[in-house]
């Protein structure tokens, strides 16, 4: 059984997400909770958190949730609905599997700030491809 540290090591090469501050906080059966400490570098011209930050964190949480147990899932389609502006110091994304089929899966990712304010709702359709032995996951 993989530990949280094993999974963190596995995903440390996910450079875009991790270099923007994303960390893995929890893992479970087809589940992941990831977070990101917000900085000035995450803000847009009017001082709000850029929407791409929420999407990046949600995409990272999906990647972890869908691959940490059984690698080979990629995002086939993602849809994000922005619900509000982050007011706290951290963003938190929780990815949960709704349906895990043989080749396709469906995940829901909820993004909120550390104060509990809803920021975004993301739906992701995943596709399980054949695993290349050279894959990083």
């Amino acid at each position: 059984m993989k530990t949280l540290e094993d999974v963190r090591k596995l995903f440390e090469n996910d450079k875009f997400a991790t270099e923007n501050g994303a960390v893995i906080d929890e893992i479970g059966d087809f589940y992941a909770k990831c977070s990101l400490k917000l900085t000035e570098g995450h803000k847009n011209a009017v001082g709000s958190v850029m929407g791409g930050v929420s999407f990046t964190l949600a995409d990272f949480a999906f990647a972890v949730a869908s691959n940490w147990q059984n690698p080979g899932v990629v995002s086939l389609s993602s849809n994000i609905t922005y619900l509000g502006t982050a007011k706290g110091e951290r963003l938190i994304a929780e990815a949960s599997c709704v349906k895990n089929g043989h080749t396709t899966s469906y995940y829901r990712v909820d993004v909120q700030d550390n104060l509990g304010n809803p920021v975004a709702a993301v739906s992701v359709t995943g596709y399980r491809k054949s695993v290349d032995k050279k894959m990083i996951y």
Side-chain angles (χ1 to χ4, degrees):
M1 180 68 139
K2 291 179 186 164
T3 66
L4 181 57
E5 279 307 311
D6 293 335
V7 175
R8 286 177 176 155
K9 183 91 174 135
L10 234 121
F11 285 88
E12 69 184 10
N13 286 327
D14 198 329
K15 298 294 186 188
F16 188 80
T18 58
E19 289 181 5
N20 277 285
V23 295
I24 303 167
D25 298 317
E26 295 176 27
I27 52 171
D29 196 30
F30 300 100
Y31 168 86
K33 181 178 182 180
C34 299
S35 65
L36 181 145
K37 183 177 182 348
L38 295 169
T39 68
E40 288 300 310
H42 294 113
K43 295 185 178 178
N44 61 21
V46 295
S48 296
V49 176
M50 181 71 95
V53 178
S54 297
F55 187 82
T56 295
L57 185 61
D59 189 53
F60 184 63
F62 160 74
V64 175
S66 63
N67 282 289
W68 80 265
Q69 293 165 290
N70 188 9
V73 176
V74 296
S75 175
L76 186 61
S77 173
S78 296
N79 182 51
I80 188 166
T81 300
Y82 295 100
L83 303 172
T85 303
K87 294 172 181 62
E89 298 174 353
R90 294 187 76 74
L91 276 185
I92 301 159
E94 289 188 79
S96 301
C97 184
V98 175
K99 171 81 168 95
N100 187 35
H102 181 69
T103 55
T104 60
S105 57
Y106 181 81
Y107 280 75
R108 183 179 54 245
V109 186
D110 295 311
V111 182
Q112 64 180 7
D113 67 14
N114 61 301
L115 302 175
N117 297 308
V119 175
V122 183
S123 59
V124 185
T125 301
Y127 174 74
R128 175 164 302 287
K129 61 182 193 164
S130 47
V131 178
D132 180 354
K133 294 185 189 299
K134 295 180 183 178
M135 280 186 67
I136 61 168
Y137 297 128

